[in-house]
Amino acid sequence: EVLARYGKTLSKEAFKPYIGTAEVPFWEDLQSMLDLPASIGELLEARTEEYLRLLHTASIEPLPGVLDLVHWALDRQLPIAVASSSPRDQIHGSLTAAGLADFIPIRRSGHEDVGVGRGKPHGDVYHAAAAALGIEAADCLAVEDSTTGMRSADDAGCFVFCVPNASFPPKDVSFADRVVNSMADVHAAARGSLG
């Protein structure tokens, strides 16, 4: 939608390498590749506005097993956070649309909560989320669906589960400690190791 404002498009194939990456490098590449006349800030703002507009017309169904895993962790007073490449407004909008906002109040953005150029695939956003929880990233279990996200969690020292993105399966899962088919599998593994 944002690119259409400038008469541009991006194919699904061309988008794949950017899944999970920080917003600024994504828009810098597109600005250069597509000769976009807007500033990076304008493009970021337009994307957030468009994303939130789309969320107002739809809801997001959490992946099977997510609610069970979240409730299981909360019942055991295990802290939960979101470590995302997205801007805070997009994180909040997504969690709200999925009915998860009230369950996961701690969110860290690779766009706003870490230094410039330190978003995913760097581990800084995971370190920021762990610090907000009052623990070390090495004591965290991370669930990711993209190679970029797995690299970030691995860089931070987290134990990394990969639940491959169904629309854009990652080609490289070598940064995951364990690859599973679903969030229900993550829940089963967590129950098995933590009771």
Side-chain angles (χ1 to χ4, degrees):
E1 296 293 328
V2 174
L3 294 177
R5 297 177 189 185
Y6 305 99
K8 309 288 184 178
T9 60
L10 187 69
S11 71
K12 185 176 177 180
E13 276 304 308
F15 177 70
K16 279 184 180 181
Y18 297 103
I19 295 171
T21 61
E23 291 275 319
V24 171
F26 169 71
W27 285 109
E28 285 175 341
D29 281 2
L30 290 189
Q31 184 186 48
S32 173
M33 183 172 43
L34 301 174
D35 194 29
L36 298 171
S39 71
I40 299 300
E42 290 168 331
L43 293 166
L44 281 165
E45 187 175 317
R47 182 189 189 279
T48 297
E49 287 172 3
E50 186 61 31
Y51 185 74
L52 295 177
R53 184 189 69 74
L54 290 170
L55 284 180
H56 286 297
T57 63
S59 63
I60 298 173
E61 186 69 30
L63 292 172
V66 167
L67 288 173
D68 291 337
L69 178 61
V70 167
H71 289 300
W72 174 85
L74 292 174
D75 287 346
R76 283 152 187 76
Q77 298 182 335
L78 298 172
I80 303 172
V82 168
S84 174
S85 290
S86 299
R88 271 190 227 107
D89 287 345
Q90 290 180 30
I91 296 168
H92 178 73
S94 295
L95 289 173
T96 299
L100 295 169
D102 291 340
F103 301 120
I104 311 174
I106 297 177
R107 304 148 194 177
R108 291 300 178 262
S109 162
H111 177 66
E112 292 151 309
D113 295 318
V114 300
V116 175
R118 298 298 303 173
K120 293 180 181 181
H122 301 287
D124 297 34
V125 70
Y126 272 101
H127 284 295
L133 295 172
I135 57 179
E136 295 293 322
D139 294 325
C140 293
L141 179 152
V143 180
E144 282 287 353
D145 66 348
S146 71
T147 300
T148 300
M150 287 182 274
R151 284 182 62 193
S152 175
D154 180 68
D155 185 58
C158 302
F159 184 91
V160 184
F161 273 95
C162 172
V163 179
N165 182 313
S167 300
F168 300 99
K171 289 182 181 175
D172 182 1
V173 296
S174 65
F175 297 98
D177 293 292
R178 189 159 174 195
V179 179
V180 295
N181 294 319
S182 69
M183 290 298 290
D185 292 341
V186 175
H187 182 205
R191 281 193 329 263
S193 42
L194 298 176

